[in-house]
Amino acid sequence: MSNSAGLRCGGLHFPDAVRDLRRGIGLSQQEFAEIVGLTRRQIAEIEVGGANPRLETLEKVGRGAWSLASWRSQRP
């Protein structure tokens, strides 16, 4: 389920998923961090697979990503 390169669950590689989502929405690491309630450094560490995020951190990223994806899908 996991490897030394980062959290992997099935076909999801969390660091890549966070980076791809953030870039897909067009946000910098700083902008994304402010929205989800983390620091830019935390986002950077997650994206390179160097972090071992706590459940609380994963929830912040997930909730923020869901909100951003919902907001983006409603834009014309």
Side-chain angles (χ1 to χ4, degrees):
M1 252 196 236
S2 65
N3 62 27
S4 62
L7 182 62
R8 184 178 292 280
C9 182
L12 174 67
H13 186 242
F14 189 68
D16 292 340
V18 172
R19 184 185 62 243
D20 293 347
L21 173 75
R22 177 185 60 77
R23 287 180 177 171
I25 295 171
L27 297 175
S28 67
Q29 287 179 338
Q30 183 66 41
E31 292 166 327
F32 187 70
E34 290 172 5
I35 290 167
V36 301
L38 299 173
T39 66
R40 189 212 55 82
R41 183 176 181 155
Q42 286 174 295
I43 296 298
E45 289 177 357
I46 289 169
E47 289 184 1
V48 298
N52 187 14
R54 297 181 353 204
L55 180 57
E56 177 184 347
T57 302
L58 296 172
E59 288 175 342
K60 285 182 177 183
V61 171
R63 286 187 184 125
W66 179 261
S67 296
L68 287 167
S70 297
W71 169 78
R72 187 170 187 216
S73 70
Q74 294 174 4
R75 290 176 52 198

